[in-house]
Amino acid sequence: MLRLRFGDPDATWLHVDPRDGTILQRLDRAGRINRWLFDAAHRLDLPGLTGSRPLHDAAQWILNLLAAGIAVTGIVAGGRRLRRGLPAQKPR
């Protein structure tokens, strides 16, 4: 892949296939910001992790376990809140 950087106001980049000249991707400044905010965070496409698959997998597991912990904490807190908010039933 070749990266062509232009000096236009949007700071456009083109990613081109060198075999046939096909434009693979066009990115402007907003596209690169979106890439870093979404793709890098959701796919862990970061410079330190892309070259090492075991490190990438370990980071993925750690972040998934943290997310699961946050989800379980929310479920437990929500369950306690719902139980506390329900009126007590009278014995028959």
Side-chain angles (χ1 to χ4, degrees), residues 20-49:
D20 59 7
T22 304
I23 296 175
L24 302 173
Q25 187 177 38
R26 178 192 177 277
L27 288 173
D28 57 5
R29 191 179 323 267
R32 285 190 298 280
I33 290 171
N34 184 52
R35 182 201 177 288
W36 277 103
L37 292 177
F38 184 80
D39 289 343
H42 289 88
R43 296 181 187 164
L44 290 180
D45 184 17
L46 301 170
L49 297 176

Side-chain angles (χ1 to χ4, degrees), residues 48-84:
L49 297 176
T50 54
S52 173
R53 187 63 190 192
L55 185 60
H56 181 272
D57 290 345
Q60 196 86 35
W61 274 100
I62 290 168
L63 291 172
N64 283 330
L65 289 173
L66 286 172
I70 291 170
V72 168
T73 301
I75 291 169
V76 169
R80 288 180 181 171
R81 173 71 174 108
L82 288 174
R83 272 183 287 169
R84 186 176 35 152

